[in-house]
Amino acid sequence: MTMIADNLQRVRARIAQAATACQRKPDSVTLLAVSKTFPAEAVRQAYAAGQTAFGENYIQEAVDKMAALADLPLVWHCIGPIQSNKTRLVAEHFDWAHSVDRLKIAQRLSDQRPEGMAPLQVCIQVNIDGGPTKAGVAPEAVLELARQIAALPRLHLRGLMTIPEPAADFASACAVHTRARALFDALNAEGLQLDTLSMGMTADLEAAVQSGSTLVRVGTAIFGKRDYATA
Ligand SMILES: *Cc1c(COP(=O)(O)O)cnc(C)c1O
């Protein structure tokens, strides 16, 4: 077995254990393998081990990788910041975008989504722990943005995404993730029909699953430590 296959098995076991510990079904949590900075060959190995959903932050890097892997039926998620000048690449190449936090970006993605493709699946990034310089819409502004995005013809609003600061311990990680879950539930109570809460990474996936995440984005535990110097 390759190292990546072995790591994937461990991560799936972590998710299953975290889910059963809180009476959730293991398959109620989707695993997104975050392959940023890793070569197409690493993605190919993960695919051989049964992984089909991959997350990328750097849009040009991702598009190059997609071309190298066009023979595989992969689902690509954009999880990095999306500037206006990159919306066309995202709209033309990705299946999902998790990091939408402004109407202007959502509008461009909808306008630029090619007719022949399924609608772009979208999550709104929420700044759940209030960092002033962080990406993500403020929690109190999410409902209005969600309604606006839900009305765009070529997007399908699926849920929320968060990237909280690393927490000191399990309980404080759960406290932040639980706020995101409450916001998600409140939007559904307003009739938005969201099914995806994208939260939890290598360090905090157990806390995220316990707090109601439906999708965890895991890089390091699958592919190893990232080397940004050579990326
Ligand atoms: C890099 C990244 C991840 C994966 O982080 P790990 O700690 O390596 O699991 C998840 N989400 C986002 C938005 C990222 O940028």
Side-chain angles (χ1 to χ4, degrees):
M1 195 187 287
T2 66
M3 183 195 79
I4 288 173
D6 198 37
N7 287 346
L8 264 171
Q9 210 168 64
R10 274 186 241 272
V11 170
R12 290 188 192 118
R14 280 177 65 185
I15 293 169
Q17 191 167 21
T20 41
C22 59
Q23 285 80 50
R24 296 185 59 192
K25 290 196 181 123
D27 68 2
S28 67
V29 183
T30 299
L31 172 59
L32 181 65
V34 177
S35 46
K36 66 185 181 211
T37 78
F38 288 95
E41 187 49 39
V43 173
R44 207 171 272 285
Q45 281 183 30
Y47 173 75
Q51 181 66 29
T52 53
F54 292 88
E56 291 278 342
N57 289 56
Y58 311 108
I59 291 157
Q60 189 58 55
E61 175 196 332
V63 169
D64 293 345
K65 231 174 273 183
M66 289 172 196
L69 295 163
D71 57 312
L72 303 182
L74 306 179
V75 179
W76 292 99
H77 296 238
C78 177
I79 60 173
I82 306 172
Q83 315 299 341
S84 291
N85 63 356
K86 288 285 162 48
T87 52
R88 183 173 296 281
L89 278 178
V90 173
E92 291 182 348
H93 294 278
F94 281 87
D95 301 288
W96 284 70
H98 292 223
S99 38
V100 175
D101 63 358
R102 285 178 281 156
L103 182 59
K104 179 185 164 198
I105 295 295
Q107 182 75 59
R108 288 175 67 90
L109 290 170
S110 182
D111 292 347
Q112 293 169 343
R113 184 67 166 175
E115 279 302 326
M117 294 176 82
L120 183 67
Q121 310 298 301
V122 165
C123 292
I124 296 175
Q125 184 173 346
V126 184
N127 181 358
I128 196 68
D129 52 356
T133 61
K134 278 174 60 173
V137 64
E140 55 276 15
V142 170
L143 177 59
E144 188 188 354
L145 181 60
R147 287 198 168 119
Q148 289 166 327
I149 291 178
L152 294 173
R154 302 291 295 138
L155 303 186
H156 180 185
L157 181 64
R158 297 292 295 271
L160 304 180
M161 182 270 233
T162 62
I163 319 177
E165 291 301 308
D169 52 42
F170 188 79
S172 28
C174 287
V176 174
H177 288 318
T178 298
R179 290 214 303 276
R181 177 70 204 203
L183 188 57
F184 176 79
D185 291 341
L187 294 178
N188 276 331
E190 293 284 345
L192 278 154
Q193 298 187 293
L194 307 180
D195 63 8
T196 302
L197 182 54
S198 167
M199 66 182 189
M201 318 199 296
T202 292
D204 64 348
L205 77 86
E206 284 84 2
V209 169
Q210 173 159 321
S211 310
S213 167
T214 72
L215 181 152
V216 291
R217 309 178 307 267
V218 179
T220 309
I222 296 172
F223 295 106
K225 254 177 97 69
R226 286 180 290 275
D227 181 358
Y228 285 97
T230 60

